[in-house]
Amino acid sequence: MLELTDTQIGTWVASFILPLFRVAAVLMTMPVFGTTLVSARIRLYFAVAITVVIVPALPPLPEVHALDLSALLLVAEQVIIGALLGMSLQLLFQVFVVAGQIVAIQMGMGFASMVDPANGVNVAVISQFLTMLVTLLFLAMNGHLVVFEVLTESFTTLPIGGGLLVNHFWDLAGRLGWVFGAALLLVLPVITALLVVNIAFGVMTRAAPQLNIFSIGFPLTLVMGMGIFWVGLADVLPHYQALASEALQWLRELARAR
């Protein structure tokens, strides 16, 4: 008769439950899968399926007693690590959201906002368009597969029970400045062109004060801004490739930081 001890049962359960918490935390916070477009039940099914696949290839896990405080601390550790990995990838998408907001304000479309179904907040229409474009590019270039690869490697580089590093939080906070800098660099040609248009309208108003700048300038700025933005879309793909490569490389460095 096969006899199982509490330690054996706890170890077997921990070998599946602890990786499940890290995988689920990544899926709950990463772009595309972590949005409201994918229901929590579907994300949980994905987390269970991924965990079942990667558990046999994971390094040996520490012995865990399910009812001890140490087990809860390990669960919290896995949730924090998974959330950090997922949120670090969110910064790539926020670059384009901020860029769209900057362009919308410059061309006079800052008031034209709509509810973002992915995040449940109001964003500018330009930001929503760039978000959908980046989502399609991210999936088309297999960015989600790279994330799953890094997630699997993190169990070796950041083993369960290995502890957390404060550097992880500081690295994530330091990347916030990178978001605004990358967004400004992305839309700098559009901003420069719109600045020239506004200066031209200022000169026209100075030369002919009888022109109503409010009835002429705003519509022309909007139309020319849309045209300049449409022309600038030709450079979105090279910028996305550079930003995505940098974000995914930083994700690997974050997972390997020891």
Side-chain angles (χ1 to χ4, degrees), residues 12 36 67 89-90 106 109 117 126 143 149 159-160 187 193 201 216-217 225 229 231 236 248 252:
W12 291 347
T36 56
L67 300 180
L89 197 60
Q90 284 280 3
Q106 290 294 320
M109 288 190 64
I126 303 297
E149 178 185 359
I160 296 176
V187 298
F201 280 126
I216 299 176
F229 177 73
V231 173
V236 169
L248 292 175
R252 290 182 180 276

Side-chain angles (χ1 to χ4, degrees), residues 38-229:
V38 181
S39 65
R41 182 177 299 178
I42 299 300
R43 280 177 278 178
L44 180 59
Y45 291 158
F46 272 119
V48 173
I50 294 173
T51 305
V52 170
V53 173
I54 67 175
V55 159
L58 297 183
L61 301 179
E63 294 185 0
V64 178
H65 299 282
L67 300 180
D68 288 351
L69 180 62
S70 60
L72 296 179
L73 295 178
L74 288 176
V75 169
E77 177 191 37
Q78 303 316 303
V79 172
I80 292 175
I81 292 176
L84 285 175
L85 294 178
M87 292 176 61
S88 64
L89 197 60
Q90 284 280 3
L91 298 180
L92 171 64
F93 283 66
Q94 294 306 313
V95 168
F96 292 88
V97 173
V98 174
Q101 190 71 36
I102 295 175
V103 173
I105 293 175
Q106 290 294 320
M107 72 171 58
M109 288 190 64
F111 62 89
S113 60
M114 61 181 296
V115 177
D116 184 5
N119 301 314
V121 296
N122 288 334
V123 296
V125 176
I126 303 297
S127 298
Q128 181 65 17
F129 172 77
L130 290 177
T131 301
M132 292 187 294
L133 179 62
V134 171
T135 300
L136 295 177
L137 290 175
F138 182 76
L139 295 175
M141 295 183 177
N142 295 328
H144 56 293
L145 299 182
V146 177
V147 176
F148 295 150
E149 178 185 359
V150 174
L151 174 61
T152 305
E153 294 177 356
S154 69
F155 287 98
T156 302
T157 57
L158 294 174
I160 296 176
L164 292 173
L165 292 179
V166 181
N167 293 336
H168 290 85
F169 300 95
W170 288 114
D171 290 343
L172 185 61
R175 278 284 164 165
L176 296 179
W178 173 80
V179 172
F180 292 99
L184 185 60
L185 183 63
L186 180 64
V187 298
L188 189 59
V190 180
I191 294 177
T192 305
L194 290 175
L195 179 61
V196 173
V197 172
N198 290 327
I199 292 175
F201 280 126
V203 173
M204 291 174 56
T205 305
R206 186 68 175 178
Q210 65 273 17
L211 290 177
N212 191 346
I213 191 62
F214 294 100
S215 60
I216 299 176
F218 287 165
L220 287 179
T221 303
L222 180 60
V223 173
M224 296 187 69
M226 292 297 295
I228 295 170
F229 177 73

